[in-house]
Amino acid sequence: RKEVEQDPGPFNVPEGATVAFNCTYSNSASQSFFWYRQDCRKEPKLLMSVYSSGNEDGRFTAQLNRASQYISLLIRDSKLSDSATYLCVVNLSGGYNKLIFGAGTRLAVHP
Amino acid sequence: ETGVTQTPRHLVMGMTNKKSLKCEQHLGHNAMYWYKQSAKKPLELMFVYNFKEQTENNSVPSRFSPECPNSSHLFLHLHTLQPEDSALYLCASSPLFGQLYEQYFGPGTRLTVT
């Protein structure tokens, strides 16, 4: 089983749509969780950290379910500029700064 | 954005060459990382340095040799590489305090081994 699993997509959605990405992780002792965004041929950029209580940043909402070992990202009112690959990232406990990246979910927003 | 810089941005080298990748961070972080990203594969952590000390070597072949002279600079020395080593090599840095250890990436060096 992969340590971090994501649906690779692609998700093709029209502008203004709401889209949700899911991610599962295998290590129940994982402590920190993130969503990164990576544009084509560019470096990953931190989108948001994921807190236990869930958190929101503008059109983006992240949720964490520790019991199910599941992380989600919701994007509301999609923009063309949201087109990118979204990476689910988990910080393993014990390796206190060892991030494990999922393979990413590709999002394509069309007019 | 110039928080983490990498040079060169592109590199083509033969299997018998020796080259080095350079990374510099201007964020005041104390941890630096090398990652490899091959086509259609997740980022693979290669090395971790905390306060200039290597704390992680993720079973990386010895033809990749990292060097961290101080908390702001990180090098990856390359020698006798194989074509399958062609990939995007990303450097990242993070703080070591606080819970989240958010990492910030440089733009990467796209390496082609011929």
Side-chain angles (χ1 to χ4, degrees):
Chain A
R1 183 183 173 186
K2 293 179 184 175
E3 291 180 283
V4 179
E5 290 205 64
Q6 297 182 249
D7 181 340
F11 284 59
N12 294 299
V13 304
E15 277 185 288
T18 294
V19 61
F21 304 137
N22 303 319
C23 168
T24 57
Y25 59 95
S26 60
N27 189 328
S28 60
S30 299
Q31 294 293 321
S32 308
F33 309 90
F34 310 89
W35 284 102
Y36 278 73
R37 139 184 201 144
Q38 187 170 24
D39 293 285
C40 187
R41 302 183 74 80
K42 297 287 187 90
E43 74 273 22
K45 292 188 177 178
L46 180 65
L47 179 65
M48 58 196 303
S49 302
V50 185
Y51 303 114
S52 295
S53 54
N55 49 300
E56 187 175 306
D57 183 1
R59 298 181 293 108
F60 299 84
T61 300
Q63 296 281 349
L64 169 63
N65 184 324
R66 286 187 185 271
S68 302
Q69 296 178 208
Y70 169 96
I71 308 159
S72 66
L73 177 68
L74 184 76
I75 305 176
R76 291 181 298 278
D77 188 23
S78 299
K79 312 291 185 191
L80 295 175
S81 57
D82 293 334
S83 298
T85 297
Y86 290 82
L87 307 173
C88 175
V89 185
V90 173
N91 188 3
L92 293 182
S93 173
Y96 62 92
N97 57 346
K98 180 176 177 178
L99 296 188
I100 304 299
F101 284 75
T105 298
R106 195 153 61 88
L107 171 66
V109 182
H110 57 82
Chain B
E1 296 179 19
T2 58
V4 182
T5 58
Q6 289 186 243
T7 54
R9 296 292 305 275
H10 300 271
L11 178 62
V12 179
M13 60 186 288
M15 290 190 284
T16 58
N17 292 158
K18 289 184 180 181
K19 296 286 185 183
S20 296
L21 310 185
K22 179 182 176 182
C23 175
E24 184 173 359
Q25 61 94 2
H26 309 273
L27 299 170
H29 291 161
N30 290 306
M32 297 187 77
Y33 313 80
W34 280 117
Y35 288 88
K36 175 183 178 181
Q37 188 173 36
S38 304
K40 301 190 187 303
K41 292 177 70 174
L43 269 77
E44 300 171 51
L45 179 66
M46 299 175 73
F47 301 103
V48 180
Y49 278 82
N50 296 327
F51 291 105
K52 304 186 301 176
E53 299 299 320
Q54 188 182 122
T55 57
E56 183 88 22
N57 177 336
N58 205 23
S59 303
V60 180
S62 60
R63 58 186 184 270
F64 295 91
S65 174
E67 178 190 358
C68 188
N70 55 61
S71 293
S72 299
H73 294 86
L74 185 64
F75 296 88
L76 188 63
H77 304 299
L78 315 172
H79 64 96
T80 60
L81 294 192
Q82 305 298 312
E84 60 265 28
D85 297 323
S86 298
L88 179 67
Y89 288 85
L90 291 157
C91 172
S93 71
S94 77
L96 272 179
F97 305 106
Q99 191 174 1
L100 294 179
Y101 306 110
E102 299 167 345
Q103 293 186 15
Y104 297 85
F105 285 83
T109 295
R110 191 160 295 279
L111 174 67
T112 302
V113 181
T114 60

